[in-house]
Amino acid sequence: MNDIQGRDLEQTPLYALHRERGARMVPVAGYEMPVQYQGIIAEHLHTRENAALFDVSHMGQVILRGEDVAAALETLVPGDLQELPVGKARYTVLTNDRGGIIDDLMVTHGGDHLFVILNAACKEKDLAHFEAHIGGRCKIEVLSDRALLALQGPAAVTVLARLAPPCRHMLFMTGATLTLADVPCFVIRSGYTGEDGFEISVPAEEAERLARLLLDEPEVRLAGFGARDSLRLEAGLCLYGNDIDETTTPVEAGLSWAIGKRRRAEGGFPGAAVIARQLAEGVERKRVGLRAEGKIPARAHAPITEPDGAEGGPVIGEVTSGGYGPTVGGPVAMGYVKAGRARAGTPVSLMVRGKALAARVAKLPFVEHRYFKR
Amino acid sequence: MGIVRYTKEHEWIRVEDGVGVVGITKYAQEQLGDIVYVELPEVGAGMTKGAEAAVVESVKAASEIYAPVGGEVTEVNQNLADNPGTVNTDAMGEGWFFKMRIADTDEVDRLMDGVAYQEYVESLS
């Protein structure tokens, strides 16, 4: 995260609020973003127990419009979009010709358009990709005048229902326009913490007022990027650039569930042949959860080896995300291992500072998801 | 109480009768955030000034702690094994890392005193 220091950093519409609430700001994908306010562990636990507000306005928000916009976007992703009902959201990935992942994204059917949320660090690359491949078939509208707030945690629905009672009836992965404090917002019941919650697309000029209203509710506290990362790691969710990138395929990453049935049969997206072969014949490596004994966290890029010896055995993979899981109460990690070593319970070693930590492959997520499905 | 000196890497050393007690400053623990593990040196380990002496694991990242002066480790703070958060709550006191027999007290004299360190920290923000 230090590699972009020195470049001019952008600020979100909530910048003044972050400063006022004592945030420590760090560069995230070219933006100055809050890493923590009171402390990562407290913010993490508060999110699991109550409700937390995250500013994720650095993410890309794009509207795609066109006669056959779903069919057009399907030429770039393996997800079923033509079958996506109005008001439903779907997680999918942009693939390259090798089946690698250019970005992961959320697509919501907004009636006469598709609403797409992109990773901040991938925004420019994704937009150029859209322009080059589907620019002739649909109109690409970048919503640079909107902020994005995530209200996450078991109390999120109680809080948001005070402003907009109908949000109670929204199911996980559905989106709707809700009027919050007299402002029309586009709200999706989803998030990046494993908890119930909402992502709220709000006009930039109203973002601070809405954030303050939400923070006035007794259940809600601000949480920063530190907690966002430990929450998503415990929830087993991929971080683009760490756990998935242009060299990992959705099959290797354990995201085969995001490849539509019809799309498997028909193909018609970049890397379809590679992905079809992997689905049929299996993959050489898989993304898994990892739990080490003891208290030392293994971080991204720690080698994963066979479990023999203090210096570890032959290398069988690499950690892609790792750290301390406050809800788990110990170190948690994810990484890729050879497919033959991917079964939960398999003993492995994680190499940290030249020492082998005894660990086991673990089932993901580390903390059960609590989405509102019905 | 002895004298306390500081490094630019935000370690402190408190010197009493040729023995130094080493820890990290309040500013350092604030920058690191919640500390979840501290890897301490072996008792008896010899180290030169600036050598890697310990590793602090916060929720976010691992950070190296350097020996403020040369010497030999005589004791480590066993309490940190079970309570690493003590570094956050009492960085300059109960959150000390290790004690060392100082090889050359001239090295202590070349470190920053409290006033100089305070000015240094203010220059960083």
Side-chain angles (χ1 to χ4, degrees), chain A residues 63-73 109 111-115 134-141:
Chain A
I63 281 182
L64 302 177
R65 284 179 208 278
E67 200 92 325
D68 64 345
V69 64
L73 189 52
H109 195 323
D112 61 351
H113 65 269
L114 295 178
F115 175 56
I134 60 173
R137 291 172 74 178
C138 51
K139 196 169 148 264
I140 301 161
E141 188 185 335

Side-chain angles (χ1 to χ4, degrees), chain A residues 267-326:
Chain A
F269 56 90
V274 175
I275 286 171
R277 191 169 64 243
Q278 290 186 344
L279 286 169
E281 297 170 14
V283 286
E284 285 178 13
R285 57 173 185 168
K286 286 182 177 171
R287 181 175 63 96
V288 295
L290 299 157
R291 285 234 43 197
E293 291 168 15
K295 297 184 173 181
I296 305 175
R299 314 275 179 183
H301 309 302
I304 306 170
T305 73
E306 296 285 7
D308 23 85
E311 271 113 61
V315 173
I316 55 167
E318 189 179 275
V319 171
T320 51
S321 283
Y324 177 78

Side-chain angles (χ1 to χ4, degrees), chain A residues 20-106:
Chain A
E20 176 192 313
R21 302 291 172 113
R24 183 129 53 77
M25 307 298 282
V26 297
V28 176
Y31 284 78
E32 204 173 341
M33 301 301 285
V35 65
Q36 66 167 62
Y37 305 83
Q38 309 308 321
I40 294 174
I41 294 176
E43 292 163 28
H44 175 115
L45 296 175
H46 186 82
T47 311
R48 293 250 186 268
E49 287 157 15
N50 235 312
L53 187 68
F54 298 82
D55 178 15
V56 289
S57 301
H58 64 323
M59 297 188 84
Q61 302 183 57
V62 178
I63 281 182
L64 302 177
R65 284 179 208 278
E67 200 92 325
D68 64 345
V69 64
L73 189 52
E74 275 195 357
T75 65
L76 303 180
V77 305
D80 267 334
L81 297 179
Q82 298 192 62
E83 290 86 345
L84 188 65
V86 174
K88 284 282 287 179
R90 184 151 287 169
Y91 173 85
T92 190
V93 293
L94 292 171
T95 49
N96 63 27
D97 291 336
R98 300 175 306 282
I101 301 173
I102 296 171
D103 194 8
D104 61 342
L105 55 160
M106 189 77 87

Side-chain angles (χ1 to χ4, degrees), chain A residues 24 40-41 295 299 353, chain B residues 30-31 34 57-59 81:
Chain A
R24 183 129 53 77
I40 294 174
I41 294 176
K295 297 184 173 181
R299 314 275 179 183
R353 296 186 284 277
Chain B
E30 280 168 7
Q31 294 299 309
D34 293 322
E57 298 271 6
S58 70
V59 179

Side-chain angles (χ1 to χ4, degrees), chain A residues 3 21 27 49 57 67 78 113 153 193 210 219 249 273 291 294 326 331 349 360 367:
Chain A
D3 56 346
R21 302 291 172 113
E49 287 157 15
S57 301
E67 200 92 325
H113 65 269
T193 59
L210 178 61
E219 296 91 341
T249 72
R291 285 234 43 197
S349 288
R360 284 184 187 276
V367 174

